[in-house]
Amino acid sequence: MFNSIAICGFTIVITVGLASLAAFPLARRKGKIWRLISIYFLCAVTVPIQLFIFPLYFIFAALGIVGNPFATSLILSAINLPLAVFLLRTYVLAIPQELDDAAFMDGAGSWKTFWYVILPLLRPGLITVAILVGFNAWNEFMITSTFQQGQANFTMTLGYLSMNSTIVTDRGIMMAGALIIIFPIIIFFLAMQRFFIGGMTAGAVKG
């Protein structure tokens, strides 16, 4: 459970932080360069991660960071980042640009405008993206099974898989394990449901 929480937490923080920083200029800046960057993120959504597993594992093994939760979260963040950028870009587009202009008139630069004006108004989108990314990281199997080797580095999903024997399987233990895995997700979603629905509604249309 510690490994699952660590990977999930690191992935959410990295993805939400970088996606919010990228979404602001992509929504506000105009020009060919920014359109090309948007196309790059769009193409990144369609590229399967399976193409990069072997070179990534080679690099991680050379660096000695196989089994490191933070290192694994970097891969999961890269997988979720393109979609998170597009979602947050939609939320930024819904924020009137007149607020940016007013901040500039008061002497605020791009960073202060983002930190004090855009980021507080982006809270519903940040929560929505955090929930989606958290679910993906918690349920991830292919990446964690490749890079979290060793029983001490198992996530809850890998631990549940190791309970299934080819000879004999205790169905009662398997059901109890499944309940332990899904229970934190259910509690988390019920606690954040109001913010999730509000965030999806807020980002559905452009203001």
Side-chain angles (χ1 to χ4, degrees):
M1 181 172 288
F2 173 79
N3 291 327
S4 294
I5 294 175
I7 291 175
C8 188
F10 286 141
T11 304
I12 291 175
V13 172
I14 295 171
T15 305
V16 171
L18 295 179
S20 60
L21 289 172
F24 177 51
L26 287 176
R28 292 293 192 248
R29 305 283 181 167
K30 307 297 181 183
K32 186 176 181 180
I33 299 269
W34 297 102
R35 287 197 296 269
L36 290 176
I37 296 176
S38 298
I39 294 174
Y40 168 78
F41 279 111
L42 180 62
C43 294
V45 175
T46 63
V47 177
I49 188 59
Q50 289 85 346
L51 295 176
F52 306 101
I53 284 185
F54 289 110
L56 280 173
Y57 186 83
F58 177 80
I59 295 172
F60 275 47
L63 296 175
I65 54 176
V66 174
N68 187 305
F70 179 76
T72 303
S73 68
L74 292 177
I75 302 176
L76 297 178
S77 299
I79 296 174
N80 291 283
L81 193 57
L83 181 60
V85 169
F86 274 106
L87 286 176
L88 290 180
R89 179 179 177 271
T90 304
Y91 287 98
V92 176
L93 288 173
I95 299 174
Q97 193 166 356
E98 288 76 11
L99 296 177
D100 300 21
D101 299 335
F104 286 134
M105 290 293 293
D106 289 337
S110 298
W111 173 252
K112 286 188 175 181
T113 301
F114 169 76
W115 186 259
Y116 293 106
V117 178
I118 300 299
L119 200 60
L121 296 175
L122 208 57
R123 181 185 172 190
L126 297 176
I127 295 176
T128 301
V129 171
I131 292 174
L132 295 176
V133 172
F135 283 169
N136 291 336
W138 186 268
N139 296 320
E140 173 59 42
F141 173 76
M142 182 180 64
I143 299 300
T144 53
S145 63
T146 303
F147 294 92
Q148 291 296 118
Q149 296 185 4
Q151 191 169 4
N153 300 319
F154 277 3
T155 60
M156 294 186 68
T157 305
L158 299 179
Y160 180 75
L161 179 65
S162 66
M163 295 165 57
N164 187 18
S165 172
T166 56
I167 300 176
V168 103
T169 300
D170 191 327
R171 299 297 177 184
I173 294 180
M174 293 291 290
M175 293 299 293
L179 179 62
I180 293 174
I181 291 176
I182 66 174
F183 187 72
I185 299 178
I186 295 175
I187 296 300
F188 178 70
F189 183 77
L190 290 177
M192 306 298 291
Q193 182 181 14
R194 177 169 59 90
F195 300 102
F196 180 76
I197 295 175
M200 292 297 290
T201 304
V205 295
K206 175 184 174 183

